[in-house]
Amino acid sequence: MVDVLKTDNYNTDTALYILLTPLGLTFKKITATQIIISETSGSKTGGEKGPGYINDQQNLLRGTVRNEKGEPMPNASVIIMGIPKGTVTDAYGNYRLLLGSGTHKILFSSVGYNSHATTVKIENADIRRDIMLNNAVADLSGVVVTVGSRASQRTFTNTPLPVDNINAAELQTTGQLSFDKALQLRAPSFNTINMPVHDATSLSDPYEIRNMGPSRTLILINGKRKNAGSLVYIQTSPGRGETETDLSAIPTDAIKRVEILRDGASAQYGSDAIAGVMNIILKDRFEYTNFKIASGITHEGDGFSLSTSLNSGANIGAKGFINYTINFQKENKTNRPGTVDAEQDNKDLGDGTAAGLAQVKAYLARFPDANNINGTPINRSAKFLVNAGIPLKDNTTFYGNAAYVYKKIQSFANYRTPYWKQDPYNLLHAAGTEYLGFGPTFAGDLNDYNATLGLKSEVGSWNTDISLTVGGNRQLYSVNNTWNPSLEGQSPVSFKPGGYAFNHVVGNIDITRAVSDRLSIGFGYEFRNERFRIIEGDTASSSGIGPISFFGISAANAIKAYRFNIGGYLDVSYDLSKSVLINATARQEYYNDFGSAFVWKVSGRTKLMGDKLTLRSSLSTGFRAPGLHQVNLQIAQQIFVPGHGIQTQGVISNKSVQARLLEVPALKPERSLNFTAGFGLRPSKDFSLTLDYYNIDIKDRIILSSNIGHTPGGNTQLDEVLSTNGIVGVSFFTNGIRTNTQGIDLVANYRNIQINTGSWLTVNLAGNYTISNKLLGMVSNPKLIANAGQAVFDYTQEALLLTSRPKYKAILGGDLTLNRWGFFLNNSLFGPATFRSEGLDRNIKLVFNSKVVTDIHISYQFNHRLGVSLAVNNILNILPEYKLKALNAEGQAVLNDAALVKRNINAITFNGRYGIVTYDGSHFSQLGTTFLATLNFKL
């Protein structure tokens, strides 16, 4: 029975009911954190003889029950296993029990804490036994893992696969307002970054695990697939050519814990799980209502934020619950501009003459940053989430969860100075007033929702889970304070350029059976219907050259696309012995648009040294279906081209006539081969260490090609195709490359280090090191493009895909509790990252230096209801720094020439507008020191 209570198979009420009923005991819940246990009517009294009593001699067992902070725990349950006897601690955490001589097994428990079992031997003398109970969300060593095997569940200490487990408290102490930014400071293989100016990218920043891009990590909520976003990243940024699931849409206060399976899992879960699976476990049983208000600002005095959050709910009977979270949040813009170089700006944006240079210098003397705004956008959001479970009868439970998020952002395009763009019709400034240029703004409205309804049942050794999930993401854009020169004086100054929408419906049937103590099987089916829509903008936004800064979606490019797929899997888990486990999974998928896929996985582990050491390994094949977005996306966009200013470039659909003319083949699934090997060491309940090696080989990797433009001679068939379609440059999706990624993950944790009475320290170390991330073989160039001397994968795309994330990342943190005080210190090491931005000389590269960012979090609990905290992120105000490095002798010659160095710096910073980071971003935030104060109420 004790082993059952160590897992999350049962909630606290159910576990107590199962435990106490056979002992003739019952319990009564006084408050959300207090339970009184007493004898049921007609049961034996403590003075009567019964099992476990050797003689009539009674001796006193006494002690104190405390939590990790050293605080006494009133009303904790103390139960003598096997006999109808027990008590609860008093207001000071003390307990007293009279026991007969002999050996007794005693269970200590309290709501919200892990149960603790111990054995005492009474030999005609009183005995004292003091106990410490660990917070349930702080100690996950016994928590059941819900990712990995579909046949059987294992705890974190005996899983054959590497799994990160991050609890709610760890997310809260980061001082970050969004879930994705909190993960950046907790998961070593997870990386995300705010982009300086990238229009719709501001709605959801790209992220990736193990340098695999955002679309190769499957996101689950309570084990069910969450919908992808509707936006494809087409700018020069990490994640280019891919879409992601919007992690920032999930309110942090609704999360119980996060499991990150760092291993290919296509066989278990289907497409998108090449890099791994992130399962977000929502809060369930209600303990107390929590209201939080937080406010922050940066050291520059901008970026003011205000957030309020309410988490509450109710329990329904002994097992049922409803838990909900409401969150409102606003963040003002930040701005980290640079100083613009007049000479190069005159060449790129002015008329290039001496008189023009004088005009540029005069303007920049007044506005050195050219009025540019590049930083994080204005952000307003409202998030609602509910999670529920209702027992229908003893072996059947109805469950469901739903979330809705509305987000509105406003970002700022590059400011159009008077020497760059004019306002001849006085649309953006009053006639007779000085014209100082204009700054187009980009606003995005995001609606994201997901919901799951399901039924779980247990009949004998069979467990069945039937569910239906729906989810969607819609983004609509507006562009203001700009005009469309093609419409001349009739142009509006506000435009609705359209947007994108994606939704899916997913049905799951999952069945597991424990055939014996050693053998478990699991099998199931999944049906998924997906729809993608490109939404037409207003006519003014797509007429002629379109509005300055953002081209609208024309009727010709507005489409609706859909597809369905069905998949089935079989999972078998077998314990060869108490120490050796093997697991095998096979999956068959069918997509109506590209056909079938078959994948498999085998894994195993062995436990040594009395279960203190676990050796584990896995080998699997995987696949990722081309996204509906990637198959059907077709748009035009204005982007900055170094040395040429802003130009219109396009993305053509892989199914389009133009793609066929360019001889671009139809998309097919990516295929992967994943290998992992590692070990887990747990010499004591307080110390654990895992080290895992991974090797991921991806064939037919889908990329958004580099810009394919006219040749210098302009006389090839490629030039003819581009001219016919009136596009300066064109990109498209293709299975262009094969990559291999190898690395090592390290996670170590040492808990419950007692400094003195009431003072406890936890130390965490986690790291990821990328051994290699490289191309294998040749790039697959369509013949027409190869004949024109161009390539679909150039040095810029290669850098974005393979080297733009940190070479290594390590997180070292210490969590100290001192009575009512809490102190958390976190150091994040971001290793070097390499860019080769467009416009940069081909013989040099841009390298961001390794940096350590230090965060602190201080909290104080006034009483059990009221607490405050202050988080200071990047307390030392460390900013990204980069330098140019030569690739060869020609590159060194460039670096030896000051004029050439200046020209290259201008190319990657848009002539100095991006003074801290490049136009393409960096490997960590450019905001510097930020502050966040939080007031927390438990009601």
Side-chain angles (χ1 to χ4, degrees):
M1 185 66 68
V2 175
D3 290 338
V4 172
L5 291 176
K6 283 185 178 180
T7 73
D8 270 356
N9 287 333
Y10 302 98
N11 56 57
T12 306
D13 288 355
T14 304
L16 287 174
Y17 178 80
I18 294 172
L19 175 68
L20 299 179
T21 301
L23 305 179
L25 301 176
T26 186
F27 68 94
K28 181 179 181 181
K29 198 165 186 179
I30 304 303
T31 69
T33 58
Q34 295 181 340
I35 294 177
I36 293 180
I37 297 176
S38 60
E39 296 172 347
T40 56
S41 177
S43 66
K44 294 182 180 181
T45 64
E48 296 180 350
K49 295 180 180 181
Y53 285 80
I54 298 176
N55 53 47
D56 291 332
Q57 176 67 41
Q58 300 286 297
N59 298 103
L60 180 66
L61 171 66
R62 63 189 178 90
T64 303
V65 179
R66 299 179 182 274
N67 60 22
E68 289 176 301
K69 297 181 179 180
E71 301 167 338
M73 297 186 60
N75 295 306
S77 300
V78 185
I79 302 168
I80 313 303
M81 304 294 292
I83 62 173
K85 193 174 185 68
T87 186
V88 294
T89 57
D90 62 20
Y92 303 98
N94 299 318
Y95 70 94
R96 297 165 62 91
L97 274 173
L98 287 173
L99 295 176
S101 297
T103 300
H104 304 272
K105 183 174 285 187
I106 305 171
L107 180 71
F108 298 83
S109 63
S110 182
V111 174
Y113 291 82
N114 289 311
S115 301
H116 177 79
T118 188
T119 300
V120 297
K121 189 173 183 180
I122 304 294
E123 294 181 330
N124 301 320
D126 294 348
I127 188 172
R128 180 179 182 88
R129 184 64 57 89
D130 294 330
I131 299 297
M132 183 185 72
L133 295 183
N134 295 319
N135 191 298
V137 297
D139 181 8
L140 295 175
S141 61
V143 173
V144 171
V145 178
T146 58
V147 293
S149 171
R150 304 300 293 265
S152 62
Q153 297 180 340
R154 304 279 169 168
T155 66
F156 283 109
T157 55
N158 66 17
T159 173
L161 303 169
V163 179
D164 288 329
N165 55 91
I166 302 170
N167 61 55
E170 291 178 290
L171 295 173
Q172 299 293 341
T173 55
T174 62
Q176 298 293 317
L177 291 177
S178 65
F179 173 47
D180 58 329
K181 295 304 182 291
L183 275 182
Q184 168 82 339
L185 301 177
R186 288 294 174 267
S189 59
F190 180 92
N191 284 291
T192 185
I193 189 65
N194 293 117
M195 302 309 298
V197 173
H198 276 92
D199 300 326
T201 306
S202 304
L203 278 164
S204 182
D205 292 313
Y207 62 81
E208 52 192 341
I209 290 178
R210 289 180 165 177
N211 293 286
M212 286 286 102
S215 63
R216 291 173 191 83
T217 298
L218 178 61
I219 307 299
L220 306 176
I221 294 183
N222 281 356
K224 308 301 178 183
R225 180 184 289 259
K226 177 164 170 49
N227 58 282
S230 57
L231 174 70
V232 179
Y233 300 119
I234 65 169
Q235 301 273 18
T236 309
S237 67
R240 185 175 188 268
E242 300 185 32
T243 189
E244 69 171 9
T245 299
D246 188 3
L247 295 181
S248 65
I250 303 169
T252 305
D253 292 308
I255 298 173
K256 181 178 181 180
R257 72 174 192 272
V258 182
E259 302 170 356
I260 302 178
L261 171 63
R262 293 178 277 109
D263 192 34
S266 294
Q268 293 106 318
Y269 298 98
S271 180
D272 305 337
I274 286 179
V277 177
M278 182 185 299
N279 189 20
I280 300 163
I281 309 296
L282 302 177
K283 291 180 179 177
D284 40 43
R285 287 287 287 184
F286 173 68
E287 294 186 21
Y288 52 80
T289 296
N290 193 83
F291 175 73
K292 182 171 68 177
I293 182 168
S295 183
I297 200 167
T298 77
H299 72 287
E300 293 281 359
D302 57 9
F304 174 79
S305 65
L306 181 65
S307 174
T308 61
S309 180
L310 175 70
N311 175 257
S312 188
N315 291 328
I316 305 171
K319 301 189 212 177
F321 65 89
I322 182 169
N323 191 298
Y324 63 87
T325 302
I326 303 171
N327 174 254
F328 298 100
Q329 184 175 312
K330 75 169 187 176
E331 299 174 67
N332 291 344
K333 74 175 188 296
T334 60
N335 188 21
R336 301 293 182 269
T339 301
V340 176
D341 179 68
E343 286 80 5
Q344 192 62 46
D345 230 33
N346 183 44
K347 294 176 182 178
D348 290 344
L349 308 176
D351 60 15
T353 65
L357 178 60
Q359 178 189 3
V360 172
K361 287 184 175 180
Y363 185 84
L364 294 179
R366 299 172 61 186
F367 310 105
D369 57 9
N371 282 316
N372 222 52
I373 298 175
N374 51 273
T376 53
I378 299 171
N379 189 339
R380 304 288 185 269
S381 64
K383 307 174 185 180
F384 307 89
L385 188 145
V386 62
N387 185 33
I390 303 173
L392 301 182
K393 50 186 178 180
D394 290 343
N395 59 357
T396 304
T397 300
F398 170 82
Y399 66 89
N401 62 76
Y404 171 74
V405 174
Y406 173 74
K407 188 189 302 184
K408 185 177 182 66
I409 62 99
Q410 180 176 305
S411 63
F412 300 84
N414 292 300
Y415 193 88
R416 268 56 179 182
T417 58
Y419 53 84
W420 179 5
K421 295 294 181 182
Q422 295 296 311
D423 180 26
Y425 302 102
N426 299 312
L427 298 173
L428 300 172
H429 79 291
T433 63
E434 182 183 14
Y435 175 58
L436 296 174
F438 60 94
T441 61
F442 178 93
D445 286 87
L446 178 146
N447 289 268
D448 190 281
Y449 68 90
N450 63 270
T452 295
L453 295 177
L455 201 65
K456 290 183 179 180
S457 65
E458 301 177 17
V459 180
S461 59
W462 292 93
N463 295 283
T464 303
D465 184 350
I466 303 174
S467 65
L468 179 69
T469 299
V470 298
N473 179 281
R474 187 185 69 171
Q475 302 183 19
L476 293 176
Y477 311 132
S478 60
V479 176
N480 300 293
N481 199 42
T482 186
W483 67 293
N484 185 344
S486 298
L487 301 179
E488 300 181 336
Q490 303 304 310
S491 172
V493 296
S494 295
F495 303 84
K496 300 291 184 183
Y500 306 95
F502 175 84
N503 62 73
H504 71 190
V505 178
V506 186
N508 292 96
I509 300 177
D510 300 295
I511 301 171
T512 62
R513 185 191 178 195
V515 179
S516 67
D517 291 340
R518 292 188 173 187
L519 177 64
S520 297
I521 62 172
F523 57 92
Y525 304 91
E526 179 176 281
F527 172 85
R528 187 163 78 251
N529 180 282
E530 299 177 328
R531 293 180 179 272
F532 174 63
R533 182 185 175 194
I534 302 178
I535 303 170
E536 179 184 357
D538 58 31
T539 303
S541 69
S542 59
S543 297
I545 65 172
I548 293 172
S549 81
F550 194 89
F551 198 86
I553 297 171
S554 66
N557 290 330
I559 59 99
K560 294 180 181 179
Y562 70 92
R563 74 172 176 205
F564 72 86
N565 82 288
I566 186 169
Y569 69 89
L570 173 65
D571 195 321
V572 179
S573 181
Y574 185 69
D575 288 278
L576 296 174
S577 67
K578 290 184 178 180
S579 299
V580 181
L581 165 74
I582 58 173
N583 183 264
T585 311
R587 187 182 191 93
Q588 180 72 42
E589 292 267 350
Y590 171 75
Y591 283 76
N592 71 303
D593 56 351
F594 71 76
S596 299
F598 175 79
V599 290
W600 53 266
K601 181 173 185 176
V602 292
S603 62
R605 65 103 175 95
T606 181
K607 296 192 289 187
L608 306 172
M609 299 168 52
D611 295 351
K612 292 180 180 179
L613 175 64
T614 299
L615 304 181
R616 59 195 182 194
S617 184
S618 73
L619 180 67
S620 65
T621 60
F623 79 102
R624 188 180 77 83
L628 268 184
H629 317 61
Q630 295 175 319
V631 175
N632 295 281
L633 186 67
Q634 184 153 312
I635 57 175
Q637 178 74 340
Q638 290 184 331
I639 67 172
F640 169 67
V641 178
H644 301 282
I646 302 297
Q647 294 194 0
T648 299
Q649 297 187 359
V651 176
I652 58 172
S653 165
N654 182 266
K655 299 191 302 183
S656 66
V657 174
Q658 294 92 335
R660 299 289 82 85
L661 289 173
L662 292 173
E663 302 177 359
V664 178
L667 289 175
K668 55 186 177 181
E670 299 177 351
R671 301 283 183 167
S672 70
L673 180 66
N674 292 55
F675 172 74
T676 65
F679 69 86
L681 179 65
R682 194 177 183 86
S684 70
K685 70 181 183 67
D686 293 327
F687 177 75
S688 65
L689 182 148
T690 64
L691 183 69
D692 294 280
Y693 163 81
Y694 58 90
N695 187 315
I696 308 171
D697 192 303
I698 303 179
K699 297 179 181 179
D700 300 321
R701 187 161 176 171
I702 299 171
I703 59 170
L704 176 59
S705 75
S706 55
N707 183 58
I708 304 300
H710 291 274
T711 64
N715 57 355
T716 68
Q717 187 179 351
L718 173 65
D719 292 291
E720 181 181 349
V721 172
L722 295 177
S723 298
T724 301
N725 288 274
I727 298 178
V728 173
V730 65
S731 299
F732 48 83
F733 290 93
T734 183
N735 299 92
I737 59 174
R738 178 181 177 183
T739 63
N740 178 263
T741 304
Q742 300 181 55
I744 296 175
D745 289 327
L746 169 71
V747 179
N749 179 271
Y750 194 178
R751 306 173 58 254
N752 298 327
I753 305 171
Q754 187 168 9
I755 307 302
N756 52 48
T757 302
S759 178
W760 303 87
L761 176 66
T762 296
V763 178
N764 298 285
L765 173 64
N768 170 263
Y769 180 82
T770 303
I771 297 173
S772 67
N773 195 18
K774 61 186 179 181
L775 289 176
L776 296 179
M778 303 295 292
V779 175
S780 298
N781 289 305
K783 184 178 179 181
L784 181 69
I785 293 172
N787 289 342
Q790 299 196 37
V792 298
F793 194 68
D794 62 16
Y795 64 94
T796 298
Q797 309 310 317
E798 182 176 351
L800 282 173
L801 190 69
L802 302 178
T803 65
S804 64
R805 300 298 86 203
K807 173 76 173 175
Y808 49 82
K809 179 182 169 186
I811 302 170
L812 176 62
D815 191 349
L816 175 67
T817 59
L818 183 60
N819 297 321
R820 296 186 177 188
W821 288 92
F823 301 91
F824 183 82
L825 176 68
N826 197 70
N827 295 283
S828 301
L829 168 64
F830 296 90
T834 302
F835 283 172
R836 296 185 67 192
S837 307
E838 187 175 359
L840 192 67
D841 190 286
R842 298 178 66 94
N843 298 299
I844 60 178
K845 64 181 179 179
L846 179 92
V847 178
F848 279 90
N849 300 331
S850 299
K851 294 285 185 177
V852 176
V853 176
T854 302
D855 309 317
I856 62 171
H857 183 274
I858 302 173
S859 63
Y860 183 78
Q861 197 70 30
F862 291 99
N863 51 50
H864 71 284
R865 293 186 180 276
L866 178 63
V868 297
S869 66
L870 174 66
V872 185
N873 293 111
N874 197 352
I875 190 171
L876 300 178
N877 197 31
I878 302 299
L879 298 177
E881 291 182 359
Y882 55 84
K883 56 187 175 184
L884 300 178
K885 284 192 173 182
L887 296 172
N888 46 42
E890 290 82 357
Q892 189 58 51
V894 171
L895 298 184
N896 292 337
D897 187 323
L900 292 178
V901 169
K902 181 180 179 181
R903 183 184 303 170
N904 278 279
I905 291 294
N906 280 330
I908 61 178
T909 64
F910 196 174
N911 300 339
R913 283 171 173 78
Y914 302 89
I916 296 177
V917 298
T918 72
Y919 186 80
D920 304 317
S922 68
H923 57 336
F924 67 93
S925 172
Q926 62 169 334
L927 297 183
T929 305
T930 62
F931 306 87
L932 184 73
T934 303
L935 190 61
N936 199 70
F937 301 90
K938 294 180 181 179
L939 307 177

